[in-house]
């Protein structure tokens, strides 16, 4: 799973050469063909994260892809990516959902974003296609700066997902947004303790366990977030209330810790 671990507490990077589990080989290949067909030379490189990248996948998993592009995409290109997502989800029983994030090359390589994109590309993903930017970055250690950078989009992301839930007219749309919100909140909660743990959690269970070791009084909130991860049908108001209250608490903790460390 990992390449040889570097010295001195620095994190390892995922092994780019280890084969994926057989059920995900064809969906990944299909995704790459379709992404290249849609974006062509605009596509600089493609990265896979999550449990499939860590070779710990179950029978059915999400397929989280990060695209580095040579320029910002147009509205029509984002629309085409949605079509790609739909086709892969419909054609593979092994893929629950396809998640596609897009970052322009100039942002991914900007030193101001090194604790976000540098860390993610080096330690949280494998390169599926194109020029592997992981070679451009040295190994990182888990630090407060990394935790902040990896979760600095929490507030706008919660606003976006909150609106999706409010406007949802079908359970599928609501459950997707609620699951995304819950996963984001669990990962953000882990960010509060990662620098103490001196490790990075790549799955929700280990992230929540590390968090609760430091904040045991938040066990009820974590339990309710896992209801949403499991896509249980919960009324909109209850979902939004949980997002608002726990999200606000996490943001206040980030601010408190930042003042303390800074």
């Amino acid at each position: 799973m990992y390449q040889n671990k570097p010295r001195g507490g620095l994190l390892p990077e995922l092994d780019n050469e280890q084969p994926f589990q057989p059920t995900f080989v064809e969906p990944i290949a299909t995704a790459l063909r379709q992404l290249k067909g849609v974006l062509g030379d605009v596509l600089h490189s493609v990265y896979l994260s999550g449990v499939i990248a860590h070779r710990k996948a179950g029978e059915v998993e999400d397929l989280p892809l990060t695209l580095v592009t040579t320029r910002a995409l147009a509205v029509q290109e984002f629309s085409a990516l949605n079509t790609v997502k739909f086709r892969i989800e419909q054609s593979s029983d092994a893929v629950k959902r396809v998640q596609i994030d897009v970052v322009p090359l100039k942002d991914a390589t900007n030193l101001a974003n090194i604790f976000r994109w540098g860390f993610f590309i080096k330690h949280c993903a494998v390169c599926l296609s194109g020029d592997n930017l992981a070679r451009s970055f040295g190994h990182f250690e888990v630090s407060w700066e990394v935790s902040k950078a990896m979760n600095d989009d929490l507030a706008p992301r919660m606003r976006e997902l909150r609106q999706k839930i409010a406007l949802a007219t079908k359970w599928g749309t609501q459950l997707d947004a609620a699951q995304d919100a819950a996963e984001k909140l669990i990962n953000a909660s882990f960010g509060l303790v990662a620098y103490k743990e001196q490790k990075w959690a790549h799955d929700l269970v280990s992230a929540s366990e590390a968090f609760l070791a430091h904040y045991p009084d938040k066990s009820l909130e974590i339990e309710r977030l896992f209801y949403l991860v499991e896509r249980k049908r919960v009324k909109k108001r209850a979902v939004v209330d949980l997002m608002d209250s726990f999200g606000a608490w996490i943001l206040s903790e980030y601010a408190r810790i930042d003042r303390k460390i800074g």
Side-chain angles (χ1 to χ4, degrees):
M1 180 175 65
Y2 289 109
Q3 295 178 351
N4 292 334
K5 188 171 182 178
R7 298 177 302 164
L10 299 177
L11 294 175
E13 57 186 303
L14 294 176
D15 187 350
N16 240 56
E17 303 303 320
Q18 184 179 350
F20 298 110
Q21 289 166 268
T23 52
F24 297 101
V25 171
E26 182 55 35
I28 290 172
T30 300
L32 289 176
R33 287 195 302 269
Q34 296 199 19
L35 290 170
K36 290 174 182 177
V38 166
L39 296 180
D41 292 340
V42 176
L43 190 63
H44 174 274
S45 47
V46 181
Y47 301 86
L48 171 69
S49 54
V51 292
I52 301 176
H54 284 79
R55 283 72 168 187
K56 293 182 177 180
E59 293 183 0
V60 181
E61 298 289 356
D62 288 347
L63 186 69
L65 301 171
T66 299
L67 316 184
V68 176
T69 55
T70 57
R71 57 165 172 77
L73 298 187
V75 173
Q76 297 90 336
E77 290 166 321
F78 277 111
S79 179
L81 290 181
N82 286 331
T83 301
V84 170
K85 289 167 57 177
F86 177 78
R87 286 175 179 169
I88 299 168
E89 290 168 353
Q90 294 300 306
S91 64
S92 174
D93 293 334
V95 175
K96 186 191 313 177
R97 291 192 304 163
V98 177
Q99 299 166 303
I100 298 179
D101 290 323
V102 179
V103 55
L105 179 61
K106 63 181 180 62
D107 292 337
T109 56
N110 189 328
L111 285 178
N113 300 325
I114 191 168
F115 291 119
R116 171 63 178 98
W117 291 113
F119 180 84
F120 174 81
I121 290 170
K122 188 70 174 180
H123 296 299
C124 302
V126 292
C127 184
L128 299 176
S129 176
D131 184 13
N132 186 2
L133 292 176
R135 302 190 190 101
S136 304
F137 303 106
H139 289 80
F140 293 75
E141 62 182 0
V142 179
S143 67
W144 178 240
E145 293 302 319
V146 166
S147 290
K148 287 196 300 180
M150 291 291 284
N151 294 287
D152 65 357
D153 63 339
L154 178 61
R157 184 66 175 144
M158 286 301 105
R159 287 195 296 270
E160 175 190 342
L161 292 171
R162 192 183 195 280
Q163 184 172 17
K164 284 185 177 181
I165 291 169
L167 296 176
T169 57
K170 296 180 180 180
W171 270 112
T173 304
Q174 180 178 328
L175 294 176
D176 283 348
Q179 180 182 348
D180 288 344
E183 291 176 353
K184 182 64 178 174
L185 287 168
I186 292 170
N187 284 323
S189 67
F190 169 73
L192 294 170
V193 303
Y195 73 103
K196 295 179 181 179
E197 294 284 320
Q198 280 301 292
K199 64 181 181 182
W200 196 258
H202 295 283
D203 65 88
L204 297 176
V205 172
S206 57
S208 63
E209 288 174 348
F211 167 70
L212 290 175
H214 296 267
Y215 294 93
D217 59 315
K218 296 299 178 182
S219 60
L220 181 58
E221 287 85 349
I222 294 297
E223 181 181 351
R224 288 173 174 170
L225 288 173
F226 271 102
Y227 290 159
L228 304 183
V229 171
E230 294 162 5
R231 301 177 67 83
K232 294 182 179 179
R233 295 191 175 194
V234 178
K235 290 182 178 180
K236 284 185 180 183
R237 174 49 57 190
V239 175
V240 169
D241 285 348
L242 178 59
M243 289 171 60
D244 288 350
S245 60
F246 195 54
W249 178 84
I250 290 175
L251 289 170
S252 69
E253 277 297 281
Y254 270 96
R256 183 187 68 81
I257 295 172
D258 201 39
R259 289 193 299 270
K260 178 181 176 181
I261 293 178

